[in-house]
């Protein structure tokens, strides 16, 4: 894997998605800002389409795609725990 892979267009879309996840995380208290930012992180289909269309598939790109998906999900779960106080609910549901 050469350094050229880092600048493939699908990977650049992935970097943009990382920025959008962090921007949404920072704006979670303002739903008018949070929702559009988080919705834009769904560019997941775009990077896969670009990779196949431009012939720019790579193992790094596949890893980056999964990493960004997990980052977005993790952010959403952490906010749900914070906002909805799911910690108490989870503790109650998993208690034996």
């Amino acid at each position: 894997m050469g350094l050229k892979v880092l600048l493939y267009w699908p990977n650049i879309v992935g970097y943009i998605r990382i920025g959008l996840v962090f921007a949404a995380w920072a704006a979670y208290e303002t739903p008018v800002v949070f929702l559009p930012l988080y919705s834009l992180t769904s560019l997941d289909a775009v990077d896969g389409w670009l990779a196949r269309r431009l012939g720019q598939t790579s193992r790094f790109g596949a890893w980056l795609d999964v990493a960004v998906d997990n980052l977005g999900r993790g952010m959403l779960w952490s906010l749900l725990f914070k906002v909805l106080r799911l910690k108490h609910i989870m503790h109650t549901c998993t208690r034996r």
Side-chain angles (χ1 to χ4, degrees):
M1 171 177 93
L3 292 178
K4 191 187 318 182
V5 170
L6 299 175
L7 296 177
Y8 281 178
W9 282 107
N11 296 340
I12 291 172
V13 171
Y15 307 144
I16 292 169
R17 288 178 57 214
I18 291 171
L20 289 169
V21 167
F22 283 116
W25 201 342
Y28 82 91
E29 291 180 336
T30 313
V32 174
V33 177
F34 172 80
L35 290 173
L37 286 174
Y38 189 74
S39 296
L40 284 174
T41 65
S42 66
L43 292 171
D44 189 24
V46 173
D47 61 0
W49 178 81
L50 271 176
R52 288 182 291 281
R53 179 81 173 172
L54 300 175
Q56 294 182 341
T57 58
S58 67
R59 287 176 44 180
F60 172 74
W63 173 85
L64 180 65
D65 186 45
V66 172
V68 175
D69 290 344
N70 289 336
L71 180 67
R73 265 192 301 279
M75 181 269 299
L76 195 56
W77 276 111
S78 71
L79 291 179
L80 285 172
F81 273 102
K82 186 174 185 173
V83 173
L84 300 177
R85 298 195 178 10
L86 287 179
K87 186 176 183 179
H88 175 70
I89 294 169
M90 290 297 286
H91 177 72
T92 304
C93 291
T94 58
R95 217 168 142 183
R96 294 180 185 201

